[in-house]
Amino acid sequence: MKNKKIINEEVVRSVASLARINLQAAEVKQLTKNLEDILHYVAKLEQLDVSRIQPTSHVLPLENVYREDIVKPSLSQQEALSIGPYHTKGHFNVPKVIA
Amino acid sequence: MNLHELTAHELLDLIKAKKTSSQDVYAAVKKQIQAKEPQVHAYVRVNENAPMSSPPKADFPIPIAIKDNMCIKGQETTCASAILKGFKPPYDATVVKKIKQSGGMILGNANMDEFAFGSSTENSHFGVTRNPWNLACVPGGSSGGSAAAVAAHEAIWALGSDTGGSIRQPAAFCGVVGLKPTYGRVSRYGLIAFASSLDQIGPITKDVHDAALLLKMIAGYDPMDSTSVDVPVPDYTRSLVNNVKNLKIGIPKEYFIEGIDPQVKQSLEKAIDVFKQCGAQFQQISLPHTEYAIATYYITATAEASSNLARYDGVRFGLREIPGQTRKSPLIDMFEETRDKGFGAEAKRRIMLGTYSLSAGYYDDYYLRGLKVRTLIKEDFDNAFHQCDAILTPTAPTTAFKIGEKVSNPLDMYLSDIFTISVNLAGLPAMSLPCGFSREGLPIGLQIITKPFAEEMLFRVAYTYEQNTDWHQRKAPIQ
């Protein structure tokens, strides 16, 4: 290990904030232990020298997939909005953004 | 004649010969659902408004179960998650559209682990599914509802999805056939995303012949999925030949790990004997990076998942929760409350792990390293296929485990996917088919892996095995 990875409740709370999940205190405790176990297990990847290896994010040799820029039939505004829990006047409705 | 116990190809013959009708088949399956569903719970919801018969000229007038992560227009689709409660997709997934066009009757949404996160279907918000071979055991997962429905004859066939083994492992646990096609073979349009570079839809059926029919129906290029590949779809039924003479089959030495159930090992050895008697040649091969597959998968797949699941924010889909008091700001509080209430424990675990490995300071050590090891795992298979036409392995290291047995240890649950996960990382096609039973009467699965887009080879090898054994004819003893 190049630098010791630290997982503690503070890190878990900060990651939860990035992930936009309001974890309960018991969940923070549980997840700290779970993530510690899992990260300990995945640390085995550090046994491999990957300095000369190219990453694979995708198995297919695909490059940019283009289509003609032509408007085709698609969902109406009403259909798209109807999936959201709250909508008014052609918009998704959200709680107050600017206090 | 118990129509619901027959395969799709048997039913199609009967319908063609006018010895039965799509209406009778549908009624028989529906009756079976009513009788067995209270014990098995294969479905999140049974579709009460399905057409009860098919148009007279339909190609495949067969009742089907669809995993609850494929969009069915106007019908609630939830990924077995509270966060998608009430979500009625405004369009059909491409596979669903193809099924409807060919006359398929959609029986309902099959149960699954929430967002396909799991190997036992215990992570469903809507309750566990039970294994039709032993109701105290899990059906496997994440497509456990689809596999259990087929094994309990509550569906003639089903669709599942496979990101790390989620079609093959439940097929093995439930004694049915499960096929994960090559990445890009089947359109993912309308499949609710887990890990977009790994997810693939495939058939779960009672035999290999049915898998060939169902794959042909759903496969093919789709302009709506830019990762679907434009290669012709062969008639897979032409590959149903009982002949593996002189084919070279590889056995990876790394797959006979510690912790493999001796009965599973024994069944695989007997399967090898069957193939040898049919004239196949065996050789040991090496997939040296096998031991890194699970770690690679849980870094890369959770990273993709955390990104894909960012869209469930209480604005565009399903659930919205507002906390009683302000914590940060009204909008952010709503996001955080909705996601805390809407996601189950395993979904939170994976979102957290993925967010962690993508975050600043950890990206190079986790996510990027994971992608590089993925290259090594893929190269292992490229090298192996220079020496053999197909690879044979067990599908899972054990038979179905007891409900509750692995719930408290997530890592232990992850390890049950050891034989299936590399296949997704390398984008290969693979099939699980029944190859025996344990002393306890639980099914054991055999996995066959081939090169990309070599599904025809997969069918040939699997069909030959099936023709020379009778495991697929055994029926689950569900009372």
Side-chain angles (χ1 to χ4, degrees):
Chain A
M1 277 189 165
K2 288 190 295 276
N3 49 342
K4 199 172 180 311
K5 313 292 184 313
I6 307 157
I7 191 100
N8 54 34
E9 294 191 9
E10 199 190 319
V11 173
V12 167
R13 267 190 293 266
S14 128
V15 172
S17 176
L18 290 173
R20 295 279 188 246
I21 302 176
N22 174 52
L23 294 177
Q24 311 300 311
E27 291 178 301
V28 171
K29 211 169 170 190
Q30 181 67 47
L31 277 166
T32 306
K33 173 153 193 341
N34 291 157
L35 294 187
E36 201 173 10
D37 289 350
I38 296 165
L39 291 172
H40 179 74
Y41 176 79
V42 303
K44 66 156 64 188
L45 296 183
E46 303 191 14
Q47 297 164 1
L48 295 167
D49 176 10
V50 292
S51 54
R52 290 154 178 260
I53 309 293
Q54 289 296 313
T56 296
S57 57
H58 213 272
V59 288
L60 298 172
L62 284 174
E63 285 186 25
N64 297 328
V65 178
Y66 294 116
R67 60 168 173 77
E68 292 301 315
D69 188 14
I70 297 169
V71 178
K72 289 186 183 166
S74 59
L75 296 181
S76 67
Q77 187 187 36
Q78 189 49 41
E79 281 172 311
L81 284 171
S82 68
I83 320 162
Y86 297 95
H87 54 95
T88 39
K89 298 177 187 165
H91 298 281
F92 288 115
N93 215 342
V94 297
K96 198 161 34 171
V97 178
I98 300 163
Chain B
M1 187 166 42
N2 294 321
L3 290 173
H4 59 282
E5 293 186 355
L6 301 181
T7 62
H9 64 89
E10 288 166 342
L11 290 167
L12 290 168
D13 288 345
L14 290 175
I15 292 169
K16 208 173 162 191
K18 299 207 186 316
K19 288 182 180 159
T20 189
S21 66
S22 63
Q23 205 170 347
D24 289 346
V25 175
Y26 183 81
V29 175
K30 213 50 195 203
K31 206 173 145 200
Q32 179 75 355
I33 291 175
Q34 274 157 12
K36 306 300 177 195
E37 190 58 1
Q39 291 159 281
V40 178
H41 188 51
Y43 291 93
V44 172
R45 58 196 77 78
V46 173
N47 182 6
E48 298 302 341
N49 307 312
M52 293 185 287
S53 64
S54 292
K57 296 249 157 117
D59 291 333
F60 292 100
I62 302 292
I64 186 167
I66 306 278
K67 189 177 180 179
D68 193 29
N69 60 353
M70 296 171 216
C71 289
I72 307 174
K73 187 174 180 175
Q75 244 175 272
E76 196 177 359
T77 303
T78 58
C79 257
S81 177
I83 213 160
L84 273 171
K85 253 188 190 167
F87 171 55
K88 290 186 176 170
Y91 64 89
D92 278 326
T94 297
V95 291
V96 169
K97 200 168 144 191
K98 288 187 175 196
I99 281 160
K100 286 181 175 174
Q101 280 168 352
S102 62
M105 296 165 272
I106 296 173
L107 293 159
N109 314 77
N111 201 11
M112 57 186 282
D113 289 294
E114 181 182 7
F115 285 102
F117 298 155
S119 311
S120 67
T121 313
E122 291 166 291
N123 296 330
S124 168
H125 175 71
F126 299 97
V128 299
T129 295
R130 295 173 180 277
N131 191 315
W133 294 88
N134 181 337
L135 295 171
C137 291
V138 302
S142 66
S143 310
S146 300
V150 174
H153 306 286
E154 292 186 44
I156 303 300
W157 57 16
L159 287 184
S161 69
D162 191 315
T163 307
S166 281
I167 287 174
R168 292 159 286 156
Q169 184 255 25
F173 280 12
C174 291
V176 294
V177 172
L179 166 63
K180 182 206 103 64
T182 308
Y183 184 80
R185 179 72 288 185
V186 176
S187 169
R188 294 184 294 109
Y189 179 67
L191 170 70
I192 299 173
F194 159 7
S196 310
S197 82
L198 304 165
D199 297 341
Q200 193 63 194
I201 296 170
I204 294 178
T205 58
K206 292 175 188 173
D207 69 4
V208 175
H209 188 152
D210 274 7
L213 292 174
L214 191 47
L215 180 62
K216 184 171 190 313
M217 192 213 294
I218 61 172
Y221 173 67
D222 177 13
M224 299 302 279
D225 173 7
S226 57
T227 62
S228 70
V229 179
D230 197 2
V231 293
V233 180
D235 179 357
Y236 295 114
T237 57
R238 300 182 127 205
S239 307
L240 302 174
V241 289
N242 180 0
N243 180 4
V244 290
K245 212 162 179 203
N246 296 326
L247 284 188
K248 290 192 201 110
I249 299 181
I251 304 289
K253 64 176 185 197
E254 292 82 4
Y255 278 45
F256 288 89
I257 49 158
E258 257 178 80
I260 183 169
D261 180 336
Q263 298 191 82
V264 171
K265 188 165 178 259
Q266 211 174 44
S267 286
L268 187 78
E269 282 160 356
K270 282 187 184 154
I272 292 173
D273 287 340
V274 171
F275 280 114
K276 279 184 180 161
Q277 280 157 21
C278 296
Q281 295 168 14
F282 276 84
Q283 61 193 100
Q284 197 181 65
I285 56 158
S286 177
L287 300 168
H289 296 95
T290 298
E291 67 166 304
Y292 302 103
I294 289 178
T296 303
Y297 177 86
Y298 278 95
I299 289 300
T300 56
T302 57
E304 291 189 39
S306 73
S307 169
N308 275 326
L309 269 61
R311 71 191 67 172
Y312 305 107
D313 56 3
V315 177
R316 291 160 289 171
F317 308 92
L319 189 78
R320 172 180 297 186
E321 293 283 337
I322 308 263
Q325 49 194 179
T326 307
R327 292 186 296 252
K328 293 177 180 169
S329 79
L331 182 64
I332 292 183
D333 289 351
M334 185 278 283
F335 292 155
E336 295 193 339
E337 190 73 4
T338 299
R339 290 164 66 80
D340 183 51
K341 295 269 161 56
F343 290 129
E346 183 62 21
K348 285 178 191 169
R349 201 145 42 223
R350 297 208 191 187
I351 291 170
M352 290 290 290
L353 184 59
T355 306
Y356 178 84
S357 71
L358 286 175
S359 61
Y362 303 107
Y363 182 91
D364 284 359
D365 283 341
Y366 288 104
Y367 185 62
L368 188 61
R369 179 171 284 269
L371 295 184
K372 289 179 174 181
V373 181
R374 185 175 178 185
T375 304
L376 297 172
I377 290 166
K378 184 175 177 294
E379 285 172 359
D380 281 355
F381 282 101
D382 293 345
N383 293 333
F385 283 122
H386 287 143
Q387 301 165 56
C388 61
D389 303 296
I391 296 172
L392 221 60
T393 79
T395 306
T398 66
T399 53
F401 42 88
K402 290 265 157 59
I403 291 171
E405 191 181 322
K406 297 189 189 222
V407 174
S408 59
N409 189 343
L411 191 54
D412 202 26
M413 183 81 87
Y414 297 172
L415 296 175
S416 71
D417 294 331
I418 183 142
F419 298 137
T420 48
I421 264 177
S422 314
V423 168
N424 298 75
L425 292 168
L428 304 171
M431 192 190 298
S432 176
L433 63 161
C435 74
F437 289 83
S438 68
R439 279 186 297 276
E440 299 76 26
L442 288 167
I444 297 171
L446 168 74
Q447 179 176 235
I448 306 164
I449 311 166
T450 60
K451 289 178 213 179
F453 296 99
E455 277 85 356
E456 288 164 289
M457 176 64 76
L458 207 53
F459 283 119
R460 180 176 162 192
V461 175
Y463 188 76
T464 302
Y465 180 76
E466 203 180 66
Q467 289 299 300
N468 290 280
T469 53
D470 62 3
W471 307 115
H472 62 290
Q473 286 163 353
R474 306 245 188 132
K475 298 199 189 316
I478 176 176
Q479 292 303 308

